[in-house]
Amino acid sequence: MTREDEKRLVEKASGGDAAAFETLVAENQTRVYNLALRLVGNEQDALDMSQEAFIKAFTYIGSFRGESRFSVWLYRLTTNVCLDFLRSQSRRAHGSLTQAGDEDEEGRELEIPDERFTPQSMAERRELREAVRRNLEKLPPDYKAILILREIEALSYEELAETLDLQQGTVKSRLFRARKKLCQVLLSDRNFSYEPSSNTREEV
Amino acid sequence: MACHTEELELMSAVLDGEATKDETAALYAHLETCEDCARAFRALKSISDAMPENLVPAPEALLPGVMSAIAANGAQSEKAPTPIRKPRVWGYVAAAACLALTVFSASHFGFFDFLNYGNDVVYSTQLYSTSAAEAESAAEAPLPTYDVTPAPSVSSDAQYPSSTPSVQQEPQASPEGDAKDEVSFSVSTEILNNKYVSNSAFMLSETDRLKAAASVAFYDGEYIFDREGERVAPVLENLSEADRSRLFEFLESGTILEYDESIMEELPVYCSFLFTGVAKTQGEGTEDLAVTVWMYGSHVLFRLSSQPPILYETDAFPIDFEDFAESLLGAVGL
């Protein structure tokens, strides 16, 4: 779908054309669903959140100006829906909002990850990959959202600012903090424990 | 260990291709002198590389669910979402300090992964725009053109060996639909972990057009979509002229030094590069040419396919491509 096609469909959908909107949903559902799945962590909630995001998109499609990618606009809706959901879950669970603070409450040092984080063999890589997937789940929703949007959806800082409604400077520092936090949870993951192998180098 | 927060934050931005050239250069300079930071950088990069990336299909119930809710007008009671800020002018970000991809000689058959940050893959005709700084410098100093005999024009099918499909004939359907046929690789910097040099596959993580594939590996002028170990659709790919120009811009004028193996011991090694082109071999028409490039401070090490490495000393931009190419090719007797 070209951006011109997309624009035409968005215009039609703005006018209430359900068939045009259906095409847009079909085009974007995989991305939206995968984003939701990574944010909320289970398939049923991800389906619910994706549907809610698309329904919102249809309702408010008139406010999409076509100056960003439609998918980025959808990410924004999806992220908001998911974060609201996660926060309400967390309120239920802990009685308070779990939000990532952008203050430097964790001190200014990073416990530097050890050699486990620079895997050499494919097996080690798989293990690291699995550990990252597992520990991403444990991050506060705001950290999880920004990391997923950046690392997996490959949004630029500008698009991240747009999607998460942040200043670009905040995007930068929050991404850093999210990575730092991920390092910390990885380091405390007792199931992630292969021995670092020696730093050898072969002739290239 | 305690590291400077400033550097760590910068690493994050550099990994994302969102740091300025100066910032990136400053970071790399620091990494050369600070092993702790170099280690942290490698770790951050590895963790980013290890992000989950397989997309699962959306459940079949999703689309009908949405459409029936819309039909039932059930969405109208939704609370309004937060106001949509007016989107800024769209600009797909180019990694500011960009260098290139990588490759390998067939004899080693090792791959490198590419960072999945920034714009590892860009659609040269549509999605790519340069940063303001780059645009400015490009305006001041137009990129050189490469009419060098061995270098094929990217758009010219006829110059490729007939056995390899050209980019324009690329059979891969684009999930994006609107993606241009021509994919170019923009150059992204990376500090190459010494360990990565030897044995592990560097995979370019999916970005936009490549969503369908879990990863992509490049070697010998081809890239391969790799989905869970299953190779899909090898396609010949060449660096675009713009990317080539970045490469050679980076290489500056310099001197070829006698190869000294000990250079390889230095840490951190900068960067792998890949340049694929077509080189003339004597009497035999053309063949793919793969170049790996390692950077060590002011030294650059090249390897062309299975030729001996060339150590090159460099310290000023820009270089004339023809001179460079001639010296490079001459040095390996091509």
Side-chain angles (χ1 to χ4, degrees):
Chain A
M1 183 182 297
T2 65
R3 289 195 76 185
E4 288 68 37
D5 291 342
E6 186 178 275
K7 197 170 164 227
R8 261 196 305 281
L9 288 168
V10 168
E11 276 166 16
K12 284 186 184 170
S14 306
D17 183 338
F21 189 70
E22 186 167 5
T23 310
L24 288 169
V25 176
E27 184 77 17
N28 288 284
Q29 61 176 350
T30 304
R31 292 170 148 198
V32 164
Y33 175 73
N34 278 271
L35 174 59
L37 182 60
R38 285 177 171 129
L39 284 169
V40 300
N42 73 78
E43 292 171 3
Q44 185 55 51
D45 289 335
L47 174 60
D48 292 349
M49 295 305 115
S50 306
Q51 291 188 336
E52 194 179 335
F54 277 120
I55 292 165
K56 279 196 162 149
F58 185 71
T59 309
Y60 298 105
I61 198 164
S63 64
F64 173 65
R65 307 244 174 264
E67 288 163 13
S68 63
R69 287 185 287 170
F70 186 64
S71 58
V72 170
W73 186 74
L74 282 173
Y75 286 153
R76 180 187 167 105
L77 292 179
T78 310
T79 307
N80 284 340
V81 165
C82 292
L83 287 180
D84 286 350
F85 172 77
L86 289 170
R87 286 172 189 147
S88 72
Q89 293 289 95
S90 137
R91 252 197 304 278
R92 213 174 308 153
H94 310 295
S96 72
L97 280 175
T98 305
Q99 277 213 51
D102 286 319
E103 294 74 45
D104 208 356
E105 78 284 354
E106 290 141 17
R108 303 192 69 78
E109 277 110 48
L110 171 62
E111 186 70 24
I112 288 303
D114 57 32
E115 299 300 332
R116 285 180 292 175
F117 295 105
T118 47
Q120 297 189 54
S121 69
M122 288 311 272
E124 288 169 344
R125 283 169 163 263
R126 267 196 298 279
E127 193 173 339
L128 177 61
R129 190 171 290 276
E130 175 54 29
V132 167
R133 194 197 55 71
R134 199 165 54 228
N135 286 285
L136 207 49
E137 294 290 318
K138 299 180 193 163
L139 296 183
D142 288 348
Y143 282 169
K144 191 156 66 171
I146 199 166
L147 270 181
I148 289 167
L149 287 167
R150 173 62 227 177
E151 298 280 17
I152 301 167
E153 306 299 338
L155 298 196
S156 69
Y157 280 18
E158 191 176 339
E159 289 168 334
L160 286 173
E162 189 64 43
T163 305
L164 298 170
D165 204 12
L166 298 170
Q167 301 292 324
Q168 282 203 52
T170 310
V171 165
K172 187 176 159 194
S173 62
R174 184 176 293 178
L175 258 177
F176 162 63
R177 282 172 219 296
R179 289 186 168 127
K180 186 162 110 174
K181 187 76 186 170
L182 182 58
C183 285
Q184 286 167 345
V185 296
L186 277 168
L187 281 170
S188 62
D189 182 346
R190 281 180 304 161
N191 293 323
F192 177 56
S193 58
Y194 66 76
E195 285 299 308
S197 23
S198 60
N199 184 355
T200 54
R201 175 197 179 85
E202 292 167 15
E203 171 65 13
V204 290
Chain B
M1 60 154 284
C3 226
H4 299 112
T5 304
E6 207 178 302
E7 267 92 26
L8 286 166
E9 259 196 54
L10 189 52
M11 285 175 204
S12 182
V14 167
L15 284 172
D16 288 332
E18 299 266 3
T20 65
K21 274 184 180 169
D22 287 350
E23 286 173 335
T24 305
L27 176 66
Y28 288 146
H30 177 71
L31 292 180
E32 295 220 21
T33 62
C34 177
E35 171 56 24
D36 283 343
C37 279
R39 200 152 52 89
F41 188 83
R42 291 195 298 266
L44 286 171
K45 178 190 167 333
S46 297
I47 289 169
S48 288
D49 284 346
M51 285 285 166
E53 51 191 28
N54 296 332
L55 291 182
V56 299
E60 284 179 13
L62 201 164
L63 183 59
V66 171
M67 297 319 292
S68 63
I70 286 171
N73 214 10
Q76 301 312 317
S77 59
E78 287 289 337
K79 166 171 116 2
T82 48
I84 306 299
R85 203 147 36 94
K86 196 175 175 210
R88 297 191 192 89
V89 173
W90 181 67
Y92 209 74
V93 175
C98 291
L99 295 190
L101 308 181
T102 337
V103 189
F104 348 65
S105 47
S107 57
H108 292 95
F109 219 91
F111 309 135
F112 296 100
D113 293 277
F114 301 105
L115 295 174
N116 57 337
Y117 309 103
N119 53 339
D120 292 312
V121 173
V122 294
Y123 310 124
S124 59
T125 52
Q126 197 175 37
L127 297 190
Y128 185 70
S129 70
T130 52
S131 70
E134 285 175 319
E136 199 177 293
S137 65
E140 284 165 14
L143 298 171
T145 54
Y146 307 129
D147 271 339
V148 163
T149 324
S153 146
V154 170
S155 58
S156 170
D157 291 356
Q159 296 183 33
Y160 293 118
S162 57
S163 59
T164 44
S166 75
V167 174
Q168 284 72 23
Q169 294 158 344
E170 183 201 67
Q172 191 78 11
S174 160
E176 285 292 303
D178 60 343
K180 297 302 106 184
D181 287 334
E182 183 184 311
V183 177
S184 72
F185 303 128
S186 94
V187 233
S188 40
T189 7
E190 86 184 83
I191 288 227
L192 194 64
N193 178 344
N194 275 345
K195 284 177 287 189
Y196 283 6
V197 172
S198 56
N199 56 3
S200 45
F202 265 72
M203 297 299 175
L204 173 64
S205 296
E206 60 191 347
T207 52
D208 287 337
R209 182 164 187 253
L210 303 175
K211 285 287 190 214
S215 58
V216 175
F218 295 72
Y219 64 91
D220 278 358
E222 287 185 326
Y223 68 83
I224 285 193
F225 292 83
D226 196 319
R227 190 184 289 117
E228 294 291 306
E230 170 205 352
R231 290 184 170 183
V232 188
V235 179
L236 177 71
E237 184 56 275
N238 277 274
L239 291 183
S240 72
E241 295 201 0
D243 287 336
R244 243 177 263 171
S245 78
R246 285 164 196 256
L247 171 63
F248 293 113
E249 221 176 77
F250 191 84
L251 296 178
E252 316 164 1
S253 55
T255 331
I256 293 179
L257 305 179
E258 195 177 336
Y259 175 54
D260 173 5
E261 220 171 37
S262 67
I263 190 89
M264 300 293 280
E265 322 265 308
E266 282 182 27
L267 184 84
V269 181
Y270 156 59
C271 107
S272 59
F273 252 127
L274 149 59
F275 164 54
T276 56
V278 177
K280 232 176 204 143
T281 56
Q282 285 160 0
E284 279 293 311
T286 60
E287 66 172 23
D288 274 7
L289 174 68
V291 182
T292 42
V293 183
W294 318 104
M295 304 203 52
Y296 306 80
S298 64
H299 295 97
V300 181
L301 186 67
F302 293 95
R303 178 161 233 160
L304 280 83
S305 297
S306 50
Q307 303 292 330
I310 304 168
L311 188 59
Y312 194 79
E313 189 166 47
T314 142
D315 56 16
F317 286 87
I319 68 144
D320 179 318
F321 172 78
E322 295 198 27
D323 287 349
F324 166 70
E326 255 168 45
S327 62
L328 190 56
L329 295 172
V332 295
L334 290 176

